[in-house]
Amino acid sequence: MSKMIRLSLGPILYFWPREQVLSFYEQVAESPVDIVYLGETVCSKRNLLRTDDWLEIAARLRGAGKEVVLSTLALLEAESELKRLRRICANEGYWVEANDMGAVQLLQGRPFVAGHSINIYNVKSLSLLAEVGMRRWVLPLELSERALTDLQDGRPQGVETEVFVYGRLPLAYSARCFTARAHHLPKDDCQYRCLDYPDGLTLATQDGARFLALNGIQTQSSQTCNLLGQLNVMRRLGVDVVRISPQSANNHRVVEIFRRCIDGELGLDAGSEELARLMPVGPCDGYWHGEAGMKQTADSARELLGS
Amino acid sequence: MMELVCPAGNLPSLKAAVDNGADAVYLGFKDDTNARHFAGLNFGPAKMSEGIAYARNKGTKVFLALNTYPQSGGWPRWRSAVDGAADLGVDALIAADLGVMDYVAERYPALNLHLSVQGSATNYEALRFYRERFSVRRAVLPRVLSLPQVQHLVANSPVEIEVFGFGSLCVMVEGRCILSSYVTGQSPNTFGACSPASHVEWKDGRNGLETRLGGVLIETYGEGCNAGYPTLCKGSFCVGGNTYHALEEPTSLNTLEILPQLQQAGVSAIKIEGRQRSPAYVSQVTRVWRAALDLCASSPASFAPRPEWKAVLDRVSEGTQTTLGAYSRPWQ
């Protein structure tokens, strides 16, 4: 019998006020997720919580029975960022999620998670990282079910697979802060404008289609990736963990829907219908089906079936 | 002295680069094993041998770009590309994928390995990994670091550093940008092209000529405006009620201004972007950069870019304008 898929909550990708973060994780402690990824992964200027604060939240969540992983910055540019990274990587208590090869270098020889911004496109890469200590990897966002099938076939022993199944997709990182740019501010004097956009700042095309969400130096999809309907396929492929990426509103309802679907208390169609009401700009699932990431394939299939 | 590394999308461009003073040229095979997988571009085996012989004869090095990410089904193609490059005796292989580098390091330990910009290494801890695991000799830096950050990185780097000097500007950290596949299904990592031409549409709309990528409106050009290629990150979009180039304007990178600082920092090579550009572009740009690097080497203290250099480079730049990009803090 296959193991039960575990549910994880990714790191908060946005800049929320300290109180909001603390109360968010108070709720997470009570929520039915199994694994929580903690820490700042986007911008080192977002400093309302320090490493010690994150460690305190980590202890609280572990006390509530959660597995905690400390997540790290994806784009490392300054020595100060490396310094913080070294401290996180040297911690004794928790696994660390590497989001850059610099973190992999520091984590060699100890168990770690390779996040979705580590480029793992083939079995050779998977095996090489397993050799240096990787115990879990997150499927790169642009890869499909077919690519995952191939990777699962050659997956080394003792390595778990995680898939990003719900949330706005992080698509790119830059030296430039696009939120500051939208306010005609230089990054060095950004006035922490990201605080005004708890789910990112919407970028639309000139013909009015909501297209992307600007999140500081990160660019996200404005559509919410939703792969709830693929849970059975993932179970069959031996996926160990599915990840929900936090949003400021309705996060705990999303977690609950996934939990009930995983536990078989709620059908996938009914769950998808409930989720559809919780997405700010609608769903997308194209990457999973080997198409443009912004496409929504499941819905169009349903329309064809006339249901 | 910093090495000048120039693009060769085909044989005429390779000759143009060699004849105008490139120290090295970089090129790719005619398939998705490299990040300029464009129709009509790159080299078949015969043309590649001819190109390598031409470069050799004039003392110019040849680097082969194998800098995309193979998926399981594609592995034989990448492996034979590596084998082919080793047979041809190229001076270096430019790679990004861990699996490809692992294969090169194991099978051809004497072959110089360069970490491609698509390998996305922006810090010296990442460079240490590639050095220790695969004996990488050189790395090309993503266009995300400020000048002081480049200086600090070079000072701590275990490998030679190559930086972009001129050409089309990537706004996002290379190797970790999937905007293109979000819209078209094809990205630099998976397919070897960003904003691929097969997904571009040009159409007259209500407000002028519209360019779309994968159906997404990237730009609208009023009468008399010069329409440009709809590269996703250089379009005009609406944010907070304003319509502007929300990510970046159509512009090219140009680092002539900071050449003495790059040289002083210990940068080993300057890369010119543009394998997809014409042989005329390669001639003009190579000639300017040859002169600039020579002058910078002989008199770094008094070095200043000549106005005629800037005029030549502006003419061949995207949107006929250039920027220092991330090297300059205010740009960020």
Side-chain angles (χ1 to χ4, degrees):
Chain A
M1 203 191 120
S2 61
K3 280 190 306 184
M4 183 76 98
I5 288 186
R6 283 171 293 152
L7 190 56
S8 78
L9 192 63
I12 297 171
L13 299 177
Y14 309 102
F15 191 32
W16 294 348
R18 185 186 163 87
E19 284 313 310
Q20 188 180 343
V21 173
L22 296 177
S23 73
F24 179 82
Y25 284 115
E26 278 309 310
Q27 268 189 289
V28 170
E30 308 301 323
S31 80
V33 296
D34 303 298
I35 304 168
V36 185
Y37 290 85
L38 284 181
E40 179 57 48
T41 60
V42 175
C43 176
S44 59
K45 291 186 69 182
R46 298 174 176 178
N47 57 4
L48 292 176
L49 281 93
R50 305 285 185 168
T51 304
D52 286 328
D53 297 315
W54 288 115
L55 288 170
E56 244 173 71
I57 297 171
R60 162 87 177 90
L61 289 170
R62 178 179 274 176
K66 310 299 180 199
E67 179 193 323
V68 173
V69 180
L70 303 179
S71 202
T72 55
L73 214 56
L75 178 54
L76 295 157
E77 298 164 317
E79 188 63 37
S80 55
E81 292 161 355
L82 286 177
K83 203 174 142 200
R84 198 174 307 170
L85 177 72
R86 287 189 193 102
R87 185 168 169 219
I88 296 168
C89 292
N91 97 85
E92 299 281 334
Y94 306 94
W95 281 15
V96 175
E97 178 181 55
N99 290 313
D100 179 90
M101 290 304 290
V104 170
Q105 168 69 4
L106 295 170
L107 290 164
Q108 281 186 89
R110 7 179 333 178
F112 68 89
V113 180
H116 56 71
S117 61
I118 299 290
N119 285 332
I120 300 174
Y121 284 81
N122 47 63
V123 170
K124 279 178 86 69
S125 302
L126 202 54
S127 304
L128 191 119
L129 290 170
E131 263 172 50
V132 302
M134 182 185 74
R135 296 282 184 83
R136 185 186 301 151
W137 66 295
V138 186
L139 180 71
L141 301 179
E142 67 171 342
L143 291 186
S144 64
E145 175 193 348
R146 205 183 134 203
L148 178 63
T149 306
D150 289 341
L151 284 156
Q152 290 296 83
D153 282 346
R155 173 168 61 147
Q157 285 237 311
V159 172
E160 293 182 335
T161 300
E162 179 165 343
V163 179
F164 184 110
V165 292
Y166 190 89
R168 284 184 155 168
L169 296 163
L171 301 173
Y173 308 85
S174 176
R176 173 175 273 177
C177 176
F178 303 110
T179 305
R181 178 176 170 84
H183 288 277
H184 309 288
L185 293 167
K187 183 166 82 171
D188 288 340
D189 180 28
C190 69
Q191 298 173 19
Y192 302 105
R193 286 305 174 99
C194 287
L195 281 169
D196 298 337
Y197 307 102
D199 296 293
L201 168 59
T202 298
L203 175 152
T205 60
Q206 289 184 60
D207 52 2
R210 286 178 290 179
F211 176 38
L212 301 171
L214 304 176
N215 176 33
I217 63 114
Q218 185 184 66
T219 304
Q220 302 183 331
S221 64
S222 82
Q223 267 76 15
T224 301
C225 165
N226 174 25
L227 299 178
L228 179 75
Q230 302 297 315
L231 272 182
N232 291 333
V233 177
M234 290 189 197
R235 196 173 281 136
R236 199 158 62 236
L237 288 174
V239 169
D240 302 277
V241 182
V242 294
R243 173 179 298 201
I244 292 169
S245 189
Q247 296 288 149
S248 69
N250 296 314
N251 186 76
H252 300 289
R253 279 191 64 197
V254 172
V255 166
E256 214 158 277
I257 291 166
F258 269 87
R259 177 84 273 160
R260 288 170 60 210
C261 285
I262 289 171
D263 293 348
E265 293 167 9
L266 183 66
L268 297 184
D269 281 349
S272 294
E273 247 166 65
E274 277 195 50
L275 281 180
R277 288 192 281 270
L278 306 178
M279 300 174 200
V281 189
C284 64
D285 64 3
Y287 279 137
W288 180 255
H289 299 285
E291 297 188 32
M294 67 181 183
K295 284 211 167 136
Q296 174 54 22
T297 308
D299 262 359
S300 38
R302 197 169 302 148
E303 277 161 28
L304 282 175
L305 292 169
S307 60
Chain B
M1 174 141 177
M2 292 188 286
E3 197 175 74
L4 178 59
V5 182
C6 294
N10 53 30
L11 194 56
S13 289
L14 180 144
K15 290 179 175 171
V18 170
D19 294 346
N20 286 286
D23 296 305
V25 291
Y26 64 102
L27 38 72
F29 286 117
K30 257 186 190 317
D31 60 18
D32 55 354
T33 58
N34 75 92
R36 287 289 181 277
H37 176 209
F38 298 170
L41 209 64
N42 293 319
F43 292 74
K47 283 276 192 290
M48 191 169 290
S49 299
E50 195 182 336
I52 291 174
Y54 188 89
R56 276 281 149 68
N57 199 27
K58 306 249 176 140
T60 307
K61 293 185 213 168
V62 176
F63 301 160
L64 188 95
L66 254 170
N67 55 348
T68 46
Y69 289 82
Q71 294 176 47
S72 303
W75 178 246
R77 202 155 62 253
W78 271 260
R79 188 183 52 212
S80 67
V82 172
D83 296 341
D87 282 350
L88 287 163
V90 296
D91 297 282
L93 208 63
I94 310 170
D97 177 63
L98 292 170
V100 170
M101 283 187 278
D102 192 41
Y103 178 73
V104 176
E106 202 179 286
R107 190 70 180 270
Y108 305 104
L111 185 53
N112 279 322
L113 196 50
H114 292 184
L115 179 68
S116 167
V117 69
Q118 296 301 124
S120 211
T122 61
N123 60 86
Y124 60 83
E125 293 293 358
L127 295 178
R128 283 177 182 165
F129 181 88
Y130 293 106
R131 174 75 196 174
E132 288 167 19
R133 299 298 303 187
F134 312 121
S135 304
V136 160
R137 314 274 171 95
R138 178 184 289 184
V140 185
L141 294 188
R143 282 156 276 195
V144 292
L145 299 180
S146 67
L147 180 59
Q149 286 167 347
V150 171
Q151 290 163 334
H152 182 72
L153 185 144
V154 176
N156 290 281
S157 172
V159 301
E160 291 178 3
I161 294 298
E162 179 173 317
V163 300
F164 276 92
F166 181 78
S168 199
L169 176 68
C170 263
V171 186
M172 308 300 181
V173 61
E174 295 91 332
R176 283 184 279 178
C177 175
I178 55 172
L179 284 169
S180 177
S181 63
Y182 182 64
V183 169
T184 70
Q186 296 176 331
S187 75
N189 283 3
T190 56
F191 181 74
C194 170
S195 307
S198 51
H199 291 70
V200 169
E201 288 169 80
W202 309 76
K203 208 173 71 187
D204 281 316
R206 210 157 20 105
N207 302 314
L209 179 67
E210 295 178 351
T211 58
R212 287 173 191 271
L213 183 73
V216 173
L217 181 60
I218 302 297
E219 194 58 273
T220 307
Y221 297 94
E223 216 163 298
C225 293
N226 283 331
Y229 190 86
T231 305
L232 204 161
C233 59
K234 306 221 172 127
S236 293
F237 301 104
C238 311
V239 181
N242 299 313
T243 299
Y244 63 108
H245 292 104
L247 303 173
E248 175 59 314
E249 283 117 46
T251 181
S252 286
L253 176 75
N254 180 12
T255 64
L256 274 184
E257 214 181 291
I258 56 167
L259 217 45
Q261 289 96 313
L262 293 172
Q263 179 174 273
Q264 173 72 29
V267 166
S268 298
I270 298 283
K271 183 173 210 117
I272 307 298
E273 187 277 345
R275 280 195 283 146
Q276 72 285 12
R277 303 291 297 265
S278 68
Y281 164 96
V282 176
S283 301
Q284 290 167 19
V285 175
T286 304
R287 203 176 312 135
V288 165
W289 278 84
R290 179 74 274 153
L293 284 170
D294 288 346
L295 183 63
C296 187
S298 62
S299 41
S302 62
F303 175 88
R306 299 209 171 121
E308 63 266 30
W309 295 345
K310 188 172 156 35
V312 170
L313 296 182
D314 280 353
R315 264 202 308 277
V316 296
S317 292
E318 253 184 276
T320 61
Q321 54 179 345
T322 64
T323 172
L324 271 175
Y327 289 108
S328 158
R329 211 61 209 185
W331 179 92
Q332 302 191 6

